[in-house]
Amino acid sequence: MEKQDFLDSFPFQLLCIPNEDIVRMHATSGTSGHRPTCGFYSQKDLDDWSYLCARNLGAIGMTKKDVFQNTTSSGLFTGGFGYAQGCTVLGAMLIPFGPGLTSRQLEFFKIFKVTAFHAIPSFGLRIAQVMEEEDIKKDDLYLKFAILGAEGWAESTRKTIEERLGVKAYDNWGMTEAYGPGPSVECQEQNGLHIWSDYFFPEVIDPKTGDFLSYGETGELVITSLYKEAAPIFRYRTGDITTLYTSECPCGRTGFIMDRIKGRQDDMKIIRGVNIYPSLIEEEIFNLSKFFTDIYLITYHTVGVMDTITVKVETRPRIDKNSAKKKLQRNLREATMLGINVIVSDPGTLPRQEGKAIRYQDLRDRKDKFNG
Ligand SMILES: [Zn+2]
């Protein structure tokens, strides 16, 4: 199955139970005028989903003694309800704050002695920024755990969030078609994501040929749900690029482990014959976090007939822009084998975004020229 099957059968044709037995629907927002991808739930699906999210929170070390602030919206997006339900099953105290209002979120962190939160990674970075702006120290807070997902994020993003917020930050992966969050999470070893192998059967394929790949090889994640009633998925192409392993983890859990998602199949661009994932470029920017802030924009565009990449970054205060630019350019060339344009702006000049950040754009098939 692929995403197109969901879109072609919109809204109800994939249902495997009577409509009256559906108790919930969630959906990806989709762009206006396009069909959203819908997730449908029977009562058993909801119970299973809550249990899987509770497992995820348990795997990162949370217990009923924790106070959990959910910074994602409890609306159509699965992340809000998913972890609200999971937290309730675990028995921890839930604060369903929702997105945005970063300063107010931080006040809640302090007042209610929040020990754990769920966010998209870019909001984790936003919290770190606001702490810096408002001179809030990590020791002013009680945080221990962050569970982050729904966007690709680099290892260096994790380091930044962990250092500035004083938390352990854990990755989790899921998708609306497979309940939402819940199918997988990192344990306290932070060494790949455990896929709950009693609920899902994962495989990896070559995204071009569709051939199945061996464990240890990198390709597109394909997943089969083993218990989902309302709209089960069978060998569903997720579009996410990763590697699967079957090794036992030092935490004692057995079953499938996958690497953190390297990128989306749709996000991979071929620039002058080189496969480029935005995460590769992001990693190099964050490795120079002494020089640059976390705000950047990657643009793929065409100069004459040549595909080109331009990266806009901004420096931290009192950094020599010229030498910072040279460093980044050199590191990007080493990492990608491509000459990449770097445009360095003054601190605070690139736009800040709340919510899911747009960090890359492809203007190669567009007539309007990109002019830096
Ligand atoms: Zn483990």
Side-chain angles (χ1 to χ4, degrees):
M1 290 173 71
E2 25 193 275
K3 193 175 185 89
Q4 197 59 40
D5 294 314
F6 273 80
L7 300 178
D8 290 347
S9 56
F10 183 82
F12 296 125
Q13 282 99 303
L14 273 184
L15 288 186
C16 294
I17 58 173
N19 286 40
E20 67 195 41
D21 291 336
I22 303 293
V23 297
R24 177 86 64 76
M25 185 199 94
H26 284 280
T28 60
S29 51
T31 35
S32 164
H34 289 83
R35 292 174 168 184
T37 305
C38 299
F40 292 96
Y41 306 79
S42 66
Q43 185 58 53
K44 179 177 183 300
D45 290 340
L46 270 195
D47 293 345
D48 285 347
W49 184 27
S50 308
Y51 171 59
L52 286 167
C53 286
R55 256 197 205 174
N56 280 8
L57 298 179
I60 69 168
M62 273 179 62
T63 68
K64 71 180 300 262
K65 292 182 181 154
D66 284 295
V67 178
F68 179 74
Q69 188 155 315
N70 198 350
T71 75
T72 59
S73 118
S74 292
L76 276 177
F77 176 57
T78 51
F81 267 98
Y83 279 117
Q85 294 158 185
C87 177
T88 303
V89 169
L90 186 73
M93 177 172 137
L94 169 71
I95 304 177
F97 194 100
L101 303 170
T102 318
S103 296
R104 189 83 180 127
Q105 301 251 15
L106 277 162
E107 282 175 29
F108 270 51
F109 280 3
K110 273 194 242 175
I111 297 167
F112 299 106
K113 301 192 171 166
V114 171
T115 56
F117 71 95
H118 169 234
I120 55 176
S122 52
F123 192 65
L125 289 173
R126 177 81 190 129
I127 293 173
Q129 270 169 22
V130 172
M131 283 172 66
E132 213 169 77
E133 285 161 20
E134 299 185 357
D135 199 28
I136 298 171
K137 302 280 179 283
K138 61 185 175 189
D139 293 339
D140 301 337
L141 305 175
Y142 304 85
L143 293 174
K144 290 189 286 188
F145 314 101
I147 188 160
L148 307 172
E151 280 178 339
W153 52 306
E155 193 56 36
S156 41
T157 306
R158 183 202 318 259
K159 284 206 196 85
T160 306
I161 293 173
E162 289 193 334
E163 276 163 22
R164 297 210 218 146
L165 275 66
V167 292
K168 281 283 188 187
Y170 296 95
D171 197 4
N172 78 125
W173 175 92
M175 64 196 321
T176 305
E177 301 91 312
Y179 301 97
S184 68
V185 72
E186 279 182 317
C187 67
Q188 288 172 295
E189 301 290 327
Q190 291 182 315
N191 189 25
L193 287 82
H194 288 283
I195 297 178
W196 301 123
S197 312
D198 48 348
Y199 278 81
F200 301 95
F201 183 69
E203 295 165 288
V204 164
I205 62 168
D206 179 327
K208 289 204 182 64
T209 63
D211 292 338
F212 286 98
L213 299 177
S214 311
Y215 299 122
E217 289 186 303
T218 301
E220 182 177 347
L221 179 68
V222 169
I223 201 155
T224 297
S225 65
L226 303 177
Y227 284 103
K228 208 160 182 305
E229 291 183 332
I233 49 174
F234 185 76
R235 287 192 156 157
Y236 185 67
R237 292 186 66 154
T238 63
D240 288 321
I241 303 296
T242 188
T243 314
L244 272 185
Y245 305 92
T246 51
S247 44
E248 192 172 330
C249 180
C251 75
R253 291 182 179 86
T254 56
F256 292 102
I257 298 180
M258 70 171 178
D259 271 347
R260 300 178 65 205
I261 300 295
K262 291 190 174 64
R264 293 274 311 159
Q265 182 54 24
D266 335 326
D267 293 341
M268 191 199 78
K269 305 290 179 193
I270 301 175
I271 306 287
R272 283 177 258 152
V274 181
N275 293 356
I276 298 284
Y277 290 104
S279 56
L280 196 66
I281 297 173
E282 187 191 55
E283 189 78 48
E284 296 306 325
I285 299 170
F286 285 126
N287 281 340
L288 293 175
S289 62
K290 264 195 288 205
F291 303 97
F292 301 111
T293 67
D294 314 319
I295 312 288
Y296 62 89
L297 179 67
I298 302 166
T299 305
Y300 308 96
H301 58 109
T302 310
V303 176
V305 292
M306 284 274 269
D307 284 348
T308 305
I309 305 174
T310 294
V311 177
K312 278 190 187 179
V313 285
E314 57 174 39
T315 47
R316 295 191 177 280
R318 294 177 298 279
I319 292 291
D320 175 35
K321 283 204 285 188
N322 227 350
S323 72
K325 174 180 170 166
K326 277 188 191 141
K327 269 198 186 73
L328 180 59
Q329 240 162 357
R330 191 178 55 228
N331 292 4
L332 284 172
R333 177 179 285 280
E334 277 170 19
T336 65
M337 314 292 207
L338 292 173
I340 290 178
N341 299 323
V342 174
I343 298 177
V344 180
S345 328
D346 288 320
T349 51
L350 291 181
R352 264 67 182 158
Q353 299 156 330
E354 297 270 346
K356 229 170 173 172
I358 298 162
R359 299 196 184 280
Y360 39 91
Q361 52 181 354
D362 192 350
L363 305 180
R364 287 178 301 166
D365 51 358
R366 299 227 326 233
K367 293 283 171 281
D368 47 334
K369 290 266 166 48
F370 173 67
N371 49 24

